[in-house]
């Protein structure tokens, strides 16, 4: 978002500059400060709008709006989601889908699971909802995403890291630890059910159809308890929906911030500050 001084605001500012006896350079510095004040106010309004329309937005998305600050030589300020590097998806791409509509991009965890050959092409993942027992204990971050350490455990459990060049495949001792469990987490065995996503039940080493998981919805499941009697979904494999409906509205953000009125107030304040009034 780009802010420019309107003619009305400029006229008022120029009058105040003359009243306070400020030079053009002094006024320009005051204008830049006022613009930056307004930029950070809009950033707060953007974050408030995200919290209002998104379901449990991550800190990564909430922190993404960046204020490119004004200077005395360049009296404009820009507020926009900015990619700061690292492994996350560019927040601008995420918010574009929310603003203009469109299919959700794959999450990092989904990309990793596809590379590992676990998640079928054309599918995305979903944390189990309450109808399926809710998130598997210890698996999610409370914001609808898998915890990083849990994802690493899953992929290494299925001996899939070798496909990505990593040396993190789970050892025999690691399997035993997962199967036995710990004080914090019960022992369990993970397995993948594909249903009809890959043409029907998987084929066993004997060349026979394994019907034991054919009735389960596609996803990663865990069996625990005596004889593996307690079977719960860990992560569901789902077809992408039609896409997001547009819901992040920058017009609402501008109204929430009341940017023009706020800018006028900050210019008056910064000019008085510069004049020592």
């Amino acid at each position: 978002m780009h802010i420019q001084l309107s003619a009305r605001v400029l006229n008022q500012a120029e009058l105040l500059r003359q009243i306070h006896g400020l030079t053009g350079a002094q006024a320009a510095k005051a204008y830049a400060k006022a613009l930056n004040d307004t930029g950070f106010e809009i950033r707060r309004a953007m974050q408030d709008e995200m919290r209002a329309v998104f379901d449990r937005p991550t800190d990564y998305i909430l922190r993404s709006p960046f204020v490119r600050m004004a200077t005395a030589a360049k009296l404009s300020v820009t507020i926009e989601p900015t990619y700061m590097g690292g492994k996350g998806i560019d927040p601008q791409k995420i918010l574009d889908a929310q603003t203009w509509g469109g299919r959700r991009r794959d999450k990092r965890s989904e990309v990793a699971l596809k590379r590992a050959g676990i998640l079928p092409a054309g599918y995305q993942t979903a944390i189990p909802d309450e109808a399926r027992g809710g998130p598997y204990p210890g698996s999610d971050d409370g914001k609808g995403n898998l915890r990083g350490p849990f994802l690493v455990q899953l992929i290494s459990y299925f001996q899939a890291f070798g496909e990505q060049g990593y040396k993190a495949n789970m050892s025999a001792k690691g399997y035993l630890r997962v199967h036995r469990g710990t004080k914090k987490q019960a022992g369990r065995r993970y397995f993948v059910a594909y249903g009809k996503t890959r043409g029907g039940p998987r084929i066993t080493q004997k060349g026979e159809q394994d019907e034991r998981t054919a009735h389960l919805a596609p996803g990663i499941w865990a069996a625990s308890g005596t004889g593996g009697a307690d079977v719960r979904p860990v992560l569901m494999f789902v077809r992408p929906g039609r896409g997001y409906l547009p819901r992040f509205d920058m017009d609402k953000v501008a109204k929430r911030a009341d940017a023009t009125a706020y800018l006028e107030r900050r210019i008056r304040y910064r000019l008085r500050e510069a004049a020592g009034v």
Side-chain angles (χ1 to χ4, degrees):
M1 182 174 181
H2 186 77
I3 298 178
Q4 292 181 324
L5 290 171
S6 69
R8 180 166 62 93
V9 176
L10 275 173
N11 290 337
Q12 292 178 354
E14 178 61 19
L15 178 60
L16 288 171
R17 181 190 75 79
Q18 294 174 5
I19 290 173
H20 292 305
L22 297 173
T23 65
Q26 289 172 323
K29 289 180 181 179
Y31 297 160
K33 288 182 179 180
L35 281 166
N36 293 332
D37 292 341
T38 306
F40 284 104
E41 179 67 12
I42 291 173
R43 181 179 190 268
R44 285 188 287 271
M46 286 181 70
Q47 292 170 327
D48 289 343
E49 183 69 7
M50 289 176 188
R51 293 186 184 98
V53 301
F54 298 158
D55 180 23
R56 297 172 297 174
T58 63
D59 291 339
Y60 176 73
I61 290 298
L62 289 174
R63 291 196 304 265
S64 66
F66 182 76
V67 179
R68 300 188 187 282
M69 297 174 67
T71 66
K74 185 180 180 182
L75 293 177
S76 66
V77 62
T78 303
I79 310 94
E80 61 184 0
T82 303
Y83 180 54
M84 298 299 182
K87 297 180 180 179
I89 296 173
D90 185 345
Q92 183 68 63
K93 294 179 180 178
I94 297 173
L95 291 174
D96 277 349
Q98 294 285 2
T99 303
W100 307 111
R103 175 187 163 182
R104 171 175 71 77
R105 293 175 63 87
D106 286 348
K107 299 177 181 179
R108 267 195 323 174
S109 59
E110 293 165 338
V111 173
L113 289 167
K114 284 181 178 178
R115 286 178 180 170
I118 298 172
L119 179 63
Y123 281 77
Q124 292 180 329
T125 60
I127 300 290
D129 57 21
E130 293 304 319
R132 294 185 179 274
Y136 191 75
S139 67
D140 78 318
D141 62 0
K143 296 180 181 294
N145 302 301
L146 283 183
R147 292 175 54 248
F150 190 86
L151 174 64
V152 169
Q153 183 188 81
L154 279 181
I155 295 179
S156 61
Y157 182 90
F158 290 114
Q159 296 288 319
F161 265 116
E163 298 182 23
Q164 303 178 70
Y166 290 98
K167 301 296 183 182
N169 290 332
M170 191 170 286
S171 65
K173 289 184 179 179
Y175 273 104
L176 288 175
R177 281 195 298 271
V178 173
H179 294 168
R180 288 197 198 112
T182 64
K183 291 181 179 179
K184 294 184 178 180
Q185 191 169 36
R188 67 273 182 213
R189 294 175 185 271
Y190 298 121
F191 62 93
V192 181
Y194 288 109
K196 297 181 179 179
T197 63
R198 290 187 172 175
R202 72 182 181 89
I203 303 301
T204 67
Q205 291 181 345
K206 295 182 180 180
E208 301 170 344
Q209 287 191 342
D210 184 356
E211 300 289 351
R212 292 173 298 176
T213 63
H215 67 288
L216 297 175
I220 297 175
W221 293 73
S224 59
T226 305
D230 183 14
V231 177
R232 285 188 57 178
V234 176
L235 197 64
M236 311 309 301
F237 299 162
V238 297
R239 287 285 190 184
R242 293 183 178 179
Y244 292 118
L245 294 176
R247 56 178 177 170
F248 185 72
D249 189 341
M250 285 302 295
D251 287 337
K252 289 184 180 178
V253 171
K255 290 179 181 178
R256 186 188 289 271
D258 197 7
T260 300
Y262 187 85
L263 176 59
E264 290 177 358
R265 293 196 300 271
R266 296 311 293 176
I267 284 178
R268 290 195 294 270
Y269 170 78
R270 290 300 187 181
L271 285 172
R272 290 197 304 269
E273 179 185 60
V277 177

